[in-house]
Amino acid sequence: KPYPGAPPPRSPSKLGDDQFAVTMKQTGASSRRKSRKAHFTADSSSRRKIMSTSLSKELQAKYNVRSIPVRKDDEVMVVRGIYKNREGKVTACYRGKYVIHVERITRDKANGAQVNVGLQPSNCIITKLKLDKDRKAILDRKDRSNTGSVEGTSLAGVD
């Protein structure tokens, strides 16, 4: 039995605090607070999309695609920050921290050990893609030259 002056029991139709993500619009909130919550509590598949990187001008011209989620074994060039103009292969995509690790971009710790530096994917451009059938399908789907009305076009023969 509830104590005197207790609020009435909750109706089962009302949503609790733990059901926040279900009630928020899928398109995202305009509120800073809700946008930050959505960003920092995003699941891995959403983080993959957020960790997209622009393609180089040559690749943009070749595939008619501006950006794509970065993955391990892509080759990138850093275009912002203290590591600007450094190139290398992506060794890890650390979705938990929203960073990528690039080979040969390291720093020395106080004890002499070398550690990878986390770079934001938005500060890099992809210079060479690691292509497999799934990646080709993504490029084919995002290709802006065919607007969906052209059937049978494929990147199957593209390296």
Side-chain angles (χ1 to χ4, degrees):
K1 189 174 180 181
Y3 59 89
R10 250 190 200 179
S11 167
S13 64
K14 293 192 175 153
L15 295 174
D17 295 336
D18 56 331
Q19 294 168 318
F20 171 83
V22 177
T23 60
M24 196 171 89
K25 282 185 177 177
Q26 291 300 316
T27 55
S30 58
S31 150
R32 171 178 166 84
R33 178 183 188 176
K34 290 179 184 175
S35 297
R36 284 177 56 82
K37 176 162 184 163
H39 180 78
F40 292 112
T41 61
D43 59 336
S44 184
S45 59
S46 302
R47 286 172 184 250
R48 174 182 169 272
K49 188 161 186 158
I50 293 170
M51 291 174 65
S52 290
T53 305
S54 298
L55 298 180
S56 66
K57 294 293 182 191
E58 297 81 33
L59 292 177
Q60 283 184 29
K62 184 175 181 181
Y63 297 116
N64 292 307
V65 174
R66 284 180 64 94
S67 66
I68 195 166
V70 69
R71 65 164 286 182
K72 188 177 173 182
D73 295 331
D74 282 345
E75 290 186 24
V76 298
M77 185 170 103
V78 184
V79 292
R80 292 280 184 277
I82 61 171
Y83 299 104
K84 186 175 181 175
N85 296 324
R86 300 272 296 272
E87 291 192 59
K89 188 181 279 193
V90 176
T91 56
C93 291
Y94 199 155
R95 291 185 191 169
K97 289 186 174 181
Y98 286 110
V99 296
I100 59 174
H101 293 160
V102 179
E103 67 182 9
R104 297 190 304 274
I105 299 184
T106 57
R107 65 188 304 174
D108 295 330
K109 286 173 44 171
N111 65 5
Q114 285 201 334
V115 291
N116 290 314
V117 175
L119 301 170
Q120 288 190 1
S122 61
N123 294 337
C124 304
I125 58 170
I126 297 176
T127 55
K128 189 173 178 191
L129 285 167
K130 160 93 167 157
L131 282 177
D132 55 12
K133 66 179 179 62
D134 295 327
R135 208 87 184 279
K136 287 176 185 171
I138 292 169
L139 287 169
D140 200 20
R141 189 182 70 238
K142 290 185 77 170
D143 189 348
R144 292 182 299 165
S145 64
N146 60 1
T147 57
S149 60
V150 181
E151 291 290 325
T153 56
S154 174
L155 292 172
V158 176
D159 285 338

